[in-house]
């Protein structure tokens, strides 16, 4: 059980990290462009973002996986795409805030380029990434529990919880291992996100 929990944690971390990277990279690009330049493009993209954010991401991911097939890379692709709107909204709000600051206006007058100015809006991305990691861990575990995530023989914490249902009274430690691991991961990264948020303030 310990070896499966360790291997399953590795699979969960891999899915969560890749998911956050996809959402962060593409969300940053979209949010920076829409927030910095504004206009019709900003309104169009943000309305599309609102539509996506109005649906639970796990539900859309389940629909995507059911139309393709379960597996690690399909989960990463589905969750990564669904994480883009949330990162885009965070980056957009930061870019709008930063572009009105005095030192940014002074830098623009002195001829500083857009690429040089935009990194000033990336402070809150670390907090968003930590929260996104938690959401990705929960989403991967939920989908694997439902049988639409990581498939055997590859280990998964969610799949272990599903298999442990039949042994809850005879061998409860089979469920305790992956369950406690998921809780510790979520609590750990929640504390990290809170620490990053307090540092920003």
């Amino acid at each position: 059980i310990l070896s499966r929990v360790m291997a399953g944690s590795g699979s969960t971390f891999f899915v969560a990290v890749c998911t956050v990277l996809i959402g962060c990279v593409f969300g940053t690009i979209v949010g920076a462009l829409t927030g910095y330049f504004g206009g019709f493009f900003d309104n169009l993209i943000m309305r599309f973002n609102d539509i996506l954010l109005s649906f639970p991401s796990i539900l859309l991911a389940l629909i995507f996986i059911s139309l393709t097939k379960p597996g690690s890379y399909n989960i990463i692709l589905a969750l990564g795409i669904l994480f883009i709107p949330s990162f885009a909204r965070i980056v957009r709000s930061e870019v709008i805030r930063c572009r009105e600051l005095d030192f940014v206006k002074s830098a623009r007058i002195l001829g500083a380029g857009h690429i040089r100015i935009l990194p000033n809006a990336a402070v809150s991305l670390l907090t968003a990434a930590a929260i996104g990691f938690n959401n990705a861990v929960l989403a991967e575990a939920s989908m694997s529990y439902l049988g639409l995530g990581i498939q055997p023989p590859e280990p998964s914490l969610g799949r272990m919880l599903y298999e442990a249902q039949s042994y809850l009274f005879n061998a409860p430690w089979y469920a305790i291992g992956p369950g406690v691991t998921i809780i510790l991961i979520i609590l750990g990264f929640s504390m990290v996100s809170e620490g990053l948020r307090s540092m920003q303030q």
Side-chain angles (χ1 to χ4, degrees):
I1 292 174
L2 177 61
S3 64
R4 284 177 59 83
V5 167
M6 293 173 64
S9 300
S11 300
T12 299
F13 265 80
F14 174 75
V15 170
V17 169
C18 292
T19 297
V20 170
L21 282 177
I22 293 174
C24 186
V25 171
F26 290 98
T28 298
I29 294 173
V30 173
L33 291 176
T34 56
Y36 195 78
F37 296 105
F40 173 77
F41 178 69
D42 178 27
N43 291 329
L44 179 64
I45 296 299
M46 284 302 105
R47 297 298 77 75
F48 183 70
N49 264 15
D50 292 339
I51 293 173
L52 287 179
L53 290 173
S54 64
F55 295 96
S57 58
I58 184 67
L59 177 61
L60 294 178
L62 288 173
I63 295 174
F64 179 87
I65 295 298
S66 64
L67 294 176
T68 56
K69 66 177 183 177
S72 301
Y73 294 105
N74 282 338
I75 294 176
I76 292 171
L77 182 61
L79 294 178
I81 293 174
L82 294 173
F83 276 27
I84 291 175
S86 57
F87 280 100
R89 181 172 291 279
I90 292 170
V91 174
R92 175 182 176 273
S93 63
E94 284 295 304
V95 169
I96 291 174
R97 181 185 65 84
C98 288
R99 76 181 181 186
E100 302 300 328
L101 297 176
D102 292 336
F103 78 92
V104 174
K105 293 181 179 179
S106 300
R108 292 292 301 134
I109 293 173
L110 293 174
H114 303 307
I115 301 299
R116 186 176 175 185
I117 293 173
L118 288 176
N120 293 290
V123 179
S124 60
L125 269 181
L126 289 177
T127 303
I131 297 173
F133 187 92
N134 273 354
N135 294 335
V137 168
L138 287 174
E140 186 279 322
S142 301
M143 295 174 70
S144 296
Y145 179 85
L146 295 173
L148 295 174
I150 297 175
Q151 298 298 297
E154 188 177 355
S156 168
L157 297 178
R159 187 71 184 182
M160 287 184 67
L161 285 175
Y162 171 78
E163 295 170 351
Q165 290 182 118
S166 304
Y167 309 101
L168 284 178
F169 297 104
N170 298 327
W173 52 86
Y174 191 23
I176 291 174
V180 170
T181 302
I182 293 174
I183 292 172
L184 291 178
I185 292 173
I186 299 302
L187 287 177
F189 277 88
S190 296
M191 293 175 66
V192 169
S193 65
E194 287 297 325
L196 292 171
R197 185 180 291 111
S198 62
M199 290 173 60
Q200 292 173 15
Q201 296 173 351

